[in-house]
Short mmCIF file of all heavy atoms in Angstrom, two decimals:
data_model
loop_
_atom_site.label_atom_id
_atom_site.label_comp_id
_atom_site.label_asym_id
_atom_site.label_seq_id
_atom_site.Cartn_x
_atom_site.Cartn_y
_atom_site.Cartn_z
N MET A 1 -64.49 -34.91 -90.83
CA MET A 1 -63.41 -34.34 -90.06
C MET A 1 -63.84 -32.96 -89.58
O MET A 1 -64.34 -32.15 -90.35
CB MET A 1 -62.17 -34.24 -90.97
CG MET A 1 -60.98 -33.66 -90.27
SD MET A 1 -59.53 -33.64 -91.35
CE MET A 1 -58.75 -35.12 -90.78
N PRO A 2 -63.65 -32.66 -88.29
CA PRO A 2 -64.09 -31.36 -87.78
C PRO A 2 -63.25 -30.23 -88.34
O PRO A 2 -62.08 -30.40 -88.65
CB PRO A 2 -63.91 -31.48 -86.26
CG PRO A 2 -62.97 -32.61 -86.05
CD PRO A 2 -63.08 -33.50 -87.25
N SER A 3 -63.87 -29.09 -88.42
CA SER A 3 -63.19 -27.89 -88.90
C SER A 3 -62.80 -27.04 -87.70
O SER A 3 -63.61 -26.79 -86.82
CB SER A 3 -64.15 -27.13 -89.82
OG SER A 3 -63.71 -25.82 -89.99
N PHE A 4 -61.55 -26.63 -87.64
CA PHE A 4 -61.08 -25.79 -86.56
C PHE A 4 -60.87 -24.38 -87.09
O PHE A 4 -60.28 -24.19 -88.14
CB PHE A 4 -59.75 -26.33 -85.99
CG PHE A 4 -59.90 -27.69 -85.39
CD1 PHE A 4 -59.54 -28.82 -86.10
CD2 PHE A 4 -60.42 -27.84 -84.12
CE1 PHE A 4 -59.68 -30.08 -85.54
CE2 PHE A 4 -60.57 -29.09 -83.56
CZ PHE A 4 -60.20 -30.22 -84.27
N SER A 5 -61.34 -23.40 -86.33
CA SER A 5 -61.14 -22.03 -86.75
C SER A 5 -60.49 -21.26 -85.60
O SER A 5 -60.52 -21.69 -84.45
CB SER A 5 -62.46 -21.37 -87.14
OG SER A 5 -63.33 -21.33 -86.05
N SER A 6 -59.92 -20.14 -85.93
CA SER A 6 -59.29 -19.31 -84.91
C SER A 6 -60.35 -18.77 -83.97
O SER A 6 -61.43 -18.37 -84.42
CB SER A 6 -58.56 -18.14 -85.57
OG SER A 6 -57.49 -18.59 -86.34
N PRO A 7 -60.05 -18.75 -82.69
CA PRO A 7 -61.00 -18.14 -81.76
C PRO A 7 -61.09 -16.65 -82.03
O PRO A 7 -60.15 -16.06 -82.59
CB PRO A 7 -60.41 -18.43 -80.38
CG PRO A 7 -58.96 -18.68 -80.62
CD PRO A 7 -58.84 -19.22 -82.02
N LEU A 8 -62.18 -16.08 -81.62
CA LEU A 8 -62.32 -14.64 -81.79
C LEU A 8 -61.34 -13.92 -80.89
O LEU A 8 -61.12 -14.32 -79.74
CB LEU A 8 -63.74 -14.20 -81.44
CG LEU A 8 -64.84 -14.65 -82.38
CD1 LEU A 8 -66.20 -14.21 -81.85
CD2 LEU A 8 -64.62 -14.12 -83.77
N LEU A 9 -60.73 -12.89 -81.42
CA LEU A 9 -59.85 -12.06 -80.60
C LEU A 9 -60.73 -11.22 -79.68
O LEU A 9 -61.85 -10.84 -80.04
CB LEU A 9 -59.00 -11.16 -81.48
CG LEU A 9 -58.01 -11.87 -82.40
CD1 LEU A 9 -57.31 -10.87 -83.30
CD2 LEU A 9 -56.99 -12.66 -81.61
N SER A 10 -60.23 -10.92 -78.52
CA SER A 10 -61.04 -10.16 -77.56
C SER A 10 -61.28 -8.74 -78.07
O SER A 10 -60.45 -8.18 -78.79
CB SER A 10 -60.34 -10.11 -76.21
OG SER A 10 -59.22 -9.25 -76.26
N PRO A 11 -62.41 -8.17 -77.69
CA PRO A 11 -62.70 -6.79 -78.09
C PRO A 11 -61.63 -5.81 -77.62
O PRO A 11 -61.35 -4.83 -78.29
CB PRO A 11 -64.05 -6.48 -77.42
CG PRO A 11 -64.67 -7.82 -77.20
CD PRO A 11 -63.53 -8.77 -76.96
N GLU A 12 -61.01 -6.09 -76.47
CA GLU A 12 -59.96 -5.21 -75.95
C GLU A 12 -58.75 -5.20 -76.88
O GLU A 12 -58.13 -4.17 -77.11
CB GLU A 12 -59.53 -5.65 -74.54
CG GLU A 12 -60.60 -5.46 -73.48
CD GLU A 12 -61.61 -6.61 -73.42
OE1 GLU A 12 -61.41 -7.67 -74.07
OE2 GLU A 12 -62.62 -6.44 -72.72
N ILE A 13 -58.39 -6.37 -77.39
CA ILE A 13 -57.25 -6.46 -78.32
C ILE A 13 -57.60 -5.77 -79.63
O ILE A 13 -56.81 -4.99 -80.16
CB ILE A 13 -56.88 -7.93 -78.57
CG1 ILE A 13 -56.48 -8.58 -77.28
CG2 ILE A 13 -55.85 -8.05 -79.68
CD1 ILE A 13 -55.09 -8.98 -77.08
N LEU A 14 -58.79 -6.05 -80.16
CA LEU A 14 -59.19 -5.44 -81.43
C LEU A 14 -59.26 -3.91 -81.32
O LEU A 14 -59.02 -3.21 -82.29
CB LEU A 14 -60.53 -6.00 -81.90
CG LEU A 14 -60.48 -7.41 -82.47
CD1 LEU A 14 -61.88 -7.93 -82.76
CD2 LEU A 14 -59.63 -7.47 -83.73
N ALA A 15 -59.58 -3.41 -80.13
CA ALA A 15 -59.70 -1.96 -79.94
C ALA A 15 -58.36 -1.25 -80.11
O ALA A 15 -58.33 -0.08 -80.49
CB ALA A 15 -60.28 -1.66 -78.56
N VAL A 16 -57.24 -1.95 -79.86
CA VAL A 16 -55.94 -1.29 -79.97
C VAL A 16 -55.19 -1.64 -81.24
O VAL A 16 -54.25 -0.92 -81.61
CB VAL A 16 -55.05 -1.58 -78.74
CG1 VAL A 16 -55.67 -1.03 -77.49
CG2 VAL A 16 -54.76 -3.05 -78.61
N LEU A 17 -55.56 -2.71 -81.92
CA LEU A 17 -54.87 -3.09 -83.15
C LEU A 17 -55.25 -2.15 -84.30
O LEU A 17 -56.40 -1.76 -84.44
CB LEU A 17 -55.21 -4.53 -83.55
CG LEU A 17 -54.66 -5.63 -82.67
CD1 LEU A 17 -55.11 -6.99 -83.18
CD2 LEU A 17 -53.15 -5.57 -82.61
N ARG A 18 -54.26 -1.80 -85.11
CA ARG A 18 -54.48 -0.95 -86.27
C ARG A 18 -53.77 -1.56 -87.47
O ARG A 18 -52.73 -2.21 -87.34
CB ARG A 18 -53.95 0.47 -86.05
CG ARG A 18 -54.71 1.25 -84.98
CD ARG A 18 -56.11 1.59 -85.45
NE ARG A 18 -56.91 2.28 -84.46
CZ ARG A 18 -57.85 1.72 -83.73
NH1 ARG A 18 -58.08 0.43 -83.82
NH2 ARG A 18 -58.56 2.42 -82.88
N CYS A 19 -54.31 -1.32 -88.63
CA CYS A 19 -53.70 -1.78 -89.87
C CYS A 19 -52.38 -1.02 -90.07
O CYS A 19 -52.37 0.22 -90.00
CB CYS A 19 -54.64 -1.51 -91.04
SG CYS A 19 -53.90 -1.83 -92.65
N PRO A 20 -51.27 -1.73 -90.31
CA PRO A 20 -50.00 -1.04 -90.52
C PRO A 20 -49.92 -0.27 -91.84
O PRO A 20 -49.07 0.58 -92.00
CB PRO A 20 -48.96 -2.16 -90.48
CG PRO A 20 -49.71 -3.40 -90.79
CD PRO A 20 -51.11 -3.18 -90.33
N VAL A 21 -50.84 -0.53 -92.75
CA VAL A 21 -50.84 0.16 -94.05
C VAL A 21 -51.72 1.40 -94.00
O VAL A 21 -51.31 2.49 -94.40
CB VAL A 21 -51.32 -0.78 -95.18
CG1 VAL A 21 -51.48 -0.04 -96.49
CG2 VAL A 21 -50.35 -1.95 -95.33
N THR A 22 -52.95 1.26 -93.47
CA THR A 22 -53.90 2.38 -93.51
C THR A 22 -54.04 3.11 -92.18
O THR A 22 -54.56 4.22 -92.14
CB THR A 22 -55.30 1.87 -93.92
OG1 THR A 22 -55.79 0.99 -92.90
CG2 THR A 22 -55.27 1.16 -95.25
N GLY A 23 -53.64 2.47 -91.08
CA GLY A 23 -53.81 3.06 -89.76
C GLY A 23 -55.23 2.95 -89.22
O GLY A 23 -55.54 3.50 -88.17
N THR A 24 -56.10 2.25 -89.94
CA THR A 24 -57.49 2.12 -89.52
C THR A 24 -57.68 0.90 -88.63
O THR A 24 -56.83 0.01 -88.56
CB THR A 24 -58.43 2.01 -90.74
OG1 THR A 24 -58.08 0.84 -91.49
CG2 THR A 24 -58.33 3.24 -91.62
N ALA A 25 -58.84 0.85 -87.97
CA ALA A 25 -59.18 -0.27 -87.11
C ALA A 25 -59.29 -1.56 -87.93
O ALA A 25 -59.54 -1.52 -89.14
CB ALA A 25 -60.51 0.01 -86.40
N LEU A 26 -59.09 -2.68 -87.26
CA LEU A 26 -59.19 -3.99 -87.89
C LEU A 26 -60.42 -4.72 -87.36
O LEU A 26 -60.79 -4.58 -86.20
CB LEU A 26 -57.94 -4.82 -87.60
CG LEU A 26 -56.65 -4.27 -88.20
CD1 LEU A 26 -55.44 -4.91 -87.55
CD2 LEU A 26 -56.63 -4.50 -89.70
N VAL A 27 -61.05 -5.49 -88.23
CA VAL A 27 -62.23 -6.28 -87.88
C VAL A 27 -61.92 -7.73 -88.19
O VAL A 27 -61.35 -8.03 -89.25
CB VAL A 27 -63.46 -5.81 -88.72
CG1 VAL A 27 -64.68 -6.66 -88.42
CG2 VAL A 27 -63.73 -4.34 -88.47
N GLN A 28 -62.28 -8.62 -87.28
CA GLN A 28 -62.03 -10.03 -87.54
C GLN A 28 -63.12 -10.62 -88.41
O GLN A 28 -64.30 -10.47 -88.14
CB GLN A 28 -61.93 -10.82 -86.23
CG GLN A 28 -61.53 -12.27 -86.47
CD GLN A 28 -61.19 -13.03 -85.21
OE1 GLN A 28 -61.15 -12.48 -84.12
NE2 GLN A 28 -60.94 -14.31 -85.36
N GLU A 29 -62.68 -11.29 -89.48
CA GLU A 29 -63.57 -12.03 -90.37
C GLU A 29 -63.01 -13.44 -90.47
O GLU A 29 -62.04 -13.66 -91.21
CB GLU A 29 -63.65 -11.39 -91.75
CG GLU A 29 -64.39 -10.07 -91.77
CD GLU A 29 -64.54 -9.51 -93.17
OE1 GLU A 29 -64.18 -10.18 -94.16
OE2 GLU A 29 -65.02 -8.37 -93.27
N GLY A 30 -63.56 -14.35 -89.70
CA GLY A 30 -63.06 -15.72 -89.70
C GLY A 30 -61.64 -15.78 -89.20
O GLY A 30 -61.36 -15.34 -88.08
N GLU A 31 -60.73 -16.27 -90.02
CA GLU A 31 -59.33 -16.42 -89.63
C GLU A 31 -58.45 -15.30 -90.18
O GLU A 31 -57.25 -15.48 -90.39
CB GLU A 31 -58.82 -17.79 -90.08
CG GLU A 31 -59.55 -18.92 -89.38
CD GLU A 31 -58.99 -20.28 -89.70
OE1 GLU A 31 -57.87 -20.38 -90.22
OE2 GLU A 31 -59.69 -21.25 -89.42
N GLU A 32 -59.07 -14.14 -90.41
CA GLU A 32 -58.33 -12.98 -90.92
C GLU A 32 -58.77 -11.72 -90.19
O GLU A 32 -59.89 -11.64 -89.69
CB GLU A 32 -58.60 -12.76 -92.41
CG GLU A 32 -58.03 -13.80 -93.32
CD GLU A 32 -58.26 -13.43 -94.77
OE1 GLU A 32 -59.40 -13.07 -95.13
OE2 GLU A 32 -57.29 -13.50 -95.53
N LEU A 33 -57.88 -10.74 -90.18
CA LEU A 33 -58.24 -9.39 -89.76
C LEU A 33 -58.29 -8.54 -91.02
O LEU A 33 -57.42 -8.66 -91.89
CB LEU A 33 -57.21 -8.82 -88.79
CG LEU A 33 -57.15 -9.50 -87.43
CD1 LEU A 33 -56.03 -8.89 -86.59
CD2 LEU A 33 -58.47 -9.39 -86.70
N VAL A 34 -59.30 -7.70 -91.12
CA VAL A 34 -59.52 -6.90 -92.32
C VAL A 34 -59.53 -5.42 -91.91
O VAL A 34 -60.19 -5.04 -90.94
CB VAL A 34 -60.87 -7.27 -92.99
CG1 VAL A 34 -61.10 -6.47 -94.24
CG2 VAL A 34 -60.92 -8.77 -93.27
N ALA A 35 -58.81 -4.60 -92.66
CA ALA A 35 -58.76 -3.17 -92.40
C ALA A 35 -60.11 -2.53 -92.68
O ALA A 35 -60.89 -3.02 -93.50
CB ALA A 35 -57.68 -2.51 -93.24
N SER A 36 -60.37 -1.42 -92.01
CA SER A 36 -61.64 -0.70 -92.18
C SER A 36 -61.66 0.17 -93.42
O SER A 36 -62.71 0.72 -93.76
CB SER A 36 -61.89 0.18 -90.96
OG SER A 36 -61.94 -0.60 -89.79
N ALA A 37 -60.51 0.34 -94.07
CA ALA A 37 -60.43 1.19 -95.26
C ALA A 37 -59.44 0.60 -96.25
O ALA A 37 -58.56 -0.17 -95.87
CB ALA A 37 -60.01 2.60 -94.87
N ALA A 38 -59.61 0.99 -97.49
CA ALA A 38 -58.68 0.54 -98.54
C ALA A 38 -57.34 1.24 -98.41
O ALA A 38 -57.25 2.37 -97.93
CB ALA A 38 -59.28 0.81 -99.91
N GLY A 39 -56.31 0.57 -98.85
CA GLY A 39 -54.96 1.14 -98.86
C GLY A 39 -54.78 2.04 -100.06
O GLY A 39 -55.71 2.27 -100.84
N PRO A 40 -53.58 2.55 -100.27
CA PRO A 40 -53.31 3.47 -101.37
C PRO A 40 -53.55 2.86 -102.75
O PRO A 40 -53.82 3.57 -103.71
CB PRO A 40 -51.83 3.84 -101.21
CG PRO A 40 -51.34 3.17 -99.99
CD PRO A 40 -52.42 2.33 -99.43
N ASN A 41 -53.47 1.53 -102.83
CA ASN A 41 -53.70 0.86 -104.12
C ASN A 41 -55.18 0.52 -104.35
O ASN A 41 -55.51 -0.11 -105.35
CB ASN A 41 -52.84 -0.40 -104.22
CG ASN A 41 -53.18 -1.41 -103.15
OD1 ASN A 41 -54.02 -1.17 -102.28
ND2 ASN A 41 -52.52 -2.56 -103.19
N GLY A 42 -56.05 0.92 -103.42
CA GLY A 42 -57.48 0.67 -103.57
C GLY A 42 -57.94 -0.68 -103.05
O GLY A 42 -59.12 -0.99 -103.10
N VAL A 43 -57.02 -1.49 -102.54
CA VAL A 43 -57.36 -2.82 -102.01
C VAL A 43 -57.39 -2.76 -100.49
O VAL A 43 -56.52 -2.14 -99.87
CB VAL A 43 -56.31 -3.86 -102.48
CG1 VAL A 43 -56.58 -5.22 -101.87
CG2 VAL A 43 -56.29 -3.94 -103.99
N VAL A 44 -58.38 -3.41 -99.89
CA VAL A 44 -58.48 -3.46 -98.44
C VAL A 44 -57.51 -4.53 -97.94
O VAL A 44 -57.61 -5.69 -98.30
CB VAL A 44 -59.92 -3.80 -98.00
CG1 VAL A 44 -60.00 -3.94 -96.48
CG2 VAL A 44 -60.89 -2.73 -98.48
N PRO A 45 -56.53 -4.14 -97.10
CA PRO A 45 -55.56 -5.10 -96.59
C PRO A 45 -56.22 -6.14 -95.68
O PRO A 45 -57.12 -5.84 -94.91
CB PRO A 45 -54.58 -4.25 -95.79
CG PRO A 45 -54.75 -2.87 -96.31
CD PRO A 45 -56.19 -2.77 -96.70
N ARG A 46 -55.74 -7.39 -95.79
CA ARG A 46 -56.20 -8.50 -94.97
C ARG A 46 -54.98 -9.16 -94.34
O ARG A 46 -53.94 -9.26 -94.98
CB ARG A 46 -56.95 -9.51 -95.81
CG ARG A 46 -58.14 -8.91 -96.55
CD ARG A 46 -58.84 -9.94 -97.42
NE ARG A 46 -59.72 -10.78 -96.64
CZ ARG A 46 -60.98 -10.48 -96.32
NH1 ARG A 46 -61.49 -9.34 -96.70
NH2 ARG A 46 -61.71 -11.30 -95.61
N TYR A 47 -55.12 -9.59 -93.10
CA TYR A 47 -54.01 -10.18 -92.36
C TYR A 47 -54.45 -11.51 -91.74
O TYR A 47 -55.50 -11.57 -91.11
CB TYR A 47 -53.54 -9.23 -91.25
CG TYR A 47 -53.18 -7.87 -91.80
CD1 TYR A 47 -54.12 -6.84 -91.84
CD2 TYR A 47 -51.92 -7.63 -92.32
CE1 TYR A 47 -53.79 -5.60 -92.38
CE2 TYR A 47 -51.59 -6.40 -92.86
CZ TYR A 47 -52.53 -5.40 -92.89
OH TYR A 47 -52.21 -4.17 -93.43
N PRO A 48 -53.64 -12.55 -91.90
CA PRO A 48 -54.02 -13.85 -91.34
C PRO A 48 -53.86 -13.88 -89.82
O PRO A 48 -53.08 -13.11 -89.25
CB PRO A 48 -53.04 -14.81 -92.01
CG PRO A 48 -51.83 -13.97 -92.26
CD PRO A 48 -52.36 -12.60 -92.60
N ILE A 49 -54.61 -14.77 -89.20
CA ILE A 49 -54.43 -15.08 -87.79
C ILE A 49 -53.91 -16.51 -87.76
O ILE A 49 -54.59 -17.42 -88.22
CB ILE A 49 -55.75 -14.97 -87.01
CG1 ILE A 49 -56.32 -13.56 -87.12
CG2 ILE A 49 -55.54 -15.35 -85.55
CD1 ILE A 49 -57.72 -13.41 -86.56
N GLU A 50 -52.69 -16.68 -87.27
CA GLU A 50 -52.06 -18.00 -87.25
C GLU A 50 -51.89 -18.45 -85.80
O GLU A 50 -51.22 -17.78 -85.02
CB GLU A 50 -50.71 -17.96 -87.96
CG GLU A 50 -50.86 -17.64 -89.44
CD GLU A 50 -49.53 -17.55 -90.16
OE1 GLU A 50 -48.47 -17.79 -89.54
OE2 GLU A 50 -49.56 -17.23 -91.36
N ASP A 51 -52.50 -19.56 -85.46
CA ASP A 51 -52.45 -20.10 -84.10
C ASP A 51 -52.89 -19.06 -83.08
O ASP A 51 -52.30 -18.94 -82.00
CB ASP A 51 -51.04 -20.61 -83.77
CG ASP A 51 -50.62 -21.76 -84.65
OD1 ASP A 51 -51.49 -22.60 -84.99
OD2 ASP A 51 -49.43 -21.83 -85.01
N GLY A 52 -53.91 -18.27 -83.42
CA GLY A 52 -54.45 -17.27 -82.50
C GLY A 52 -53.67 -15.98 -82.44
O GLY A 52 -53.99 -15.10 -81.65
N ILE A 53 -52.63 -15.84 -83.29
CA ILE A 53 -51.78 -14.64 -83.27
C ILE A 53 -51.93 -13.89 -84.59
O ILE A 53 -51.66 -14.46 -85.65
CB ILE A 53 -50.31 -15.03 -83.05
CG1 ILE A 53 -50.16 -15.76 -81.72
CG2 ILE A 53 -49.41 -13.79 -83.09
CD1 ILE A 53 -48.82 -16.40 -81.51
N PRO A 54 -52.35 -12.62 -84.54
CA PRO A 54 -52.45 -11.85 -85.78
C PRO A 54 -51.07 -11.60 -86.37
O PRO A 54 -50.13 -11.24 -85.67
CB PRO A 54 -53.07 -10.52 -85.33
CG PRO A 54 -53.63 -10.77 -83.98
CD PRO A 54 -52.83 -11.88 -83.39
N VAL A 55 -50.94 -11.80 -87.67
CA VAL A 55 -49.69 -11.53 -88.39
C VAL A 55 -49.90 -10.23 -89.14
O VAL A 55 -50.49 -10.20 -90.22
CB VAL A 55 -49.34 -12.69 -89.35
CG1 VAL A 55 -48.04 -12.39 -90.09
CG2 VAL A 55 -49.24 -14.01 -88.59
N LEU A 56 -49.42 -9.14 -88.56
CA LEU A 56 -49.70 -7.81 -89.10
C LEU A 56 -48.56 -7.27 -89.96
O LEU A 56 -48.21 -6.10 -89.91
CB LEU A 56 -50.01 -6.82 -87.97
CG LEU A 56 -51.26 -7.17 -87.16
CD1 LEU A 56 -51.47 -6.15 -86.06
CD2 LEU A 56 -52.48 -7.26 -88.06
N LEU A 57 -48.00 -8.12 -90.78
CA LEU A 57 -47.01 -7.66 -91.75
C LEU A 57 -47.74 -7.04 -92.93
O LEU A 57 -48.78 -7.56 -93.35
CB LEU A 57 -46.17 -8.84 -92.25
CG LEU A 57 -45.25 -9.48 -91.23
CD1 LEU A 57 -44.61 -10.72 -91.82
CD2 LEU A 57 -44.18 -8.50 -90.79
N PRO A 58 -47.22 -5.94 -93.47
CA PRO A 58 -47.85 -5.40 -94.68
C PRO A 58 -47.91 -6.49 -95.75
O PRO A 58 -47.01 -7.34 -95.83
CB PRO A 58 -46.91 -4.27 -95.09
CG PRO A 58 -46.26 -3.86 -93.81
CD PRO A 58 -46.10 -5.14 -93.03
N PRO A 59 -48.96 -6.52 -96.56
CA PRO A 59 -49.15 -7.59 -97.54
C PRO A 59 -47.93 -7.88 -98.40
O PRO A 59 -47.64 -9.04 -98.68
CB PRO A 59 -50.32 -7.09 -98.38
CG PRO A 59 -51.10 -6.23 -97.44
CD PRO A 59 -50.05 -5.56 -96.57
N ALA A 60 -47.16 -6.89 -98.80
CA ALA A 60 -45.98 -7.13 -99.64
C ALA A 60 -44.93 -7.95 -98.90
O ALA A 60 -44.19 -8.72 -99.50
CB ALA A 60 -45.38 -5.81 -100.09
N LEU A 61 -44.85 -7.82 -97.58
CA LEU A 61 -43.87 -8.57 -96.79
C LEU A 61 -44.40 -9.92 -96.35
O LEU A 61 -43.64 -10.76 -95.89
CB LEU A 61 -43.47 -7.76 -95.54
CG LEU A 61 -42.76 -6.46 -95.81
CD1 LEU A 61 -42.47 -5.74 -94.49
CD2 LEU A 61 -41.46 -6.70 -96.55
N ASN A 62 -45.69 -10.13 -96.45
CA ASN A 62 -46.31 -11.36 -95.98
C ASN A 62 -46.47 -12.40 -97.09
O ASN A 62 -47.08 -13.42 -96.89
CB ASN A 62 -47.67 -11.06 -95.35
CG ASN A 62 -48.13 -12.17 -94.43
OD1 ASN A 62 -47.34 -12.98 -93.97
ND2 ASN A 62 -49.43 -12.21 -94.19
N GLN A 63 -45.91 -12.14 -98.28
CA GLN A 63 -46.00 -13.07 -99.39
C GLN A 63 -45.04 -14.22 -99.16
O GLN A 63 -43.91 -14.02 -98.78
CB GLN A 63 -45.62 -12.38 -100.71
CG GLN A 63 -46.50 -11.20 -101.04
CD GLN A 63 -47.91 -11.60 -101.39
OE1 GLN A 63 -48.12 -12.61 -102.02
NE2 GLN A 63 -48.86 -10.80 -100.95
N GLU A 64 -45.52 -15.45 -99.40
CA GLU A 64 -44.63 -16.59 -99.31
C GLU A 64 -43.80 -16.66 -100.57
O GLU A 64 -44.29 -16.44 -101.66
CB GLU A 64 -45.43 -17.87 -99.12
CG GLU A 64 -46.07 -17.97 -97.76
CD GLU A 64 -46.68 -19.33 -97.51
OE1 GLU A 64 -46.13 -20.32 -98.00
OE2 GLU A 64 -47.69 -19.37 -96.82
N SER A 65 -42.52 -16.99 -100.42
CA SER A 65 -41.62 -17.05 -101.58
C SER A 65 -41.85 -18.33 -102.34
O SER A 65 -42.07 -19.36 -101.85
CB SER A 65 -40.18 -17.00 -101.11
OG SER A 65 -39.98 -15.79 -100.42
#
């Protein structure tokens, strides 16, 4: 079965996106965006890309119930 992955976000979009926790630039790693710096708790925030759309909710709000 083929594996489908999120397309790369354009460099123009990545240039303006910022981590809502740290304010730093985001880098795409596969199907996630990763902050350039650790947050206040020492963990680097990661954000999923769902159907080509970055979900930039802070990690505490992005938890599934």
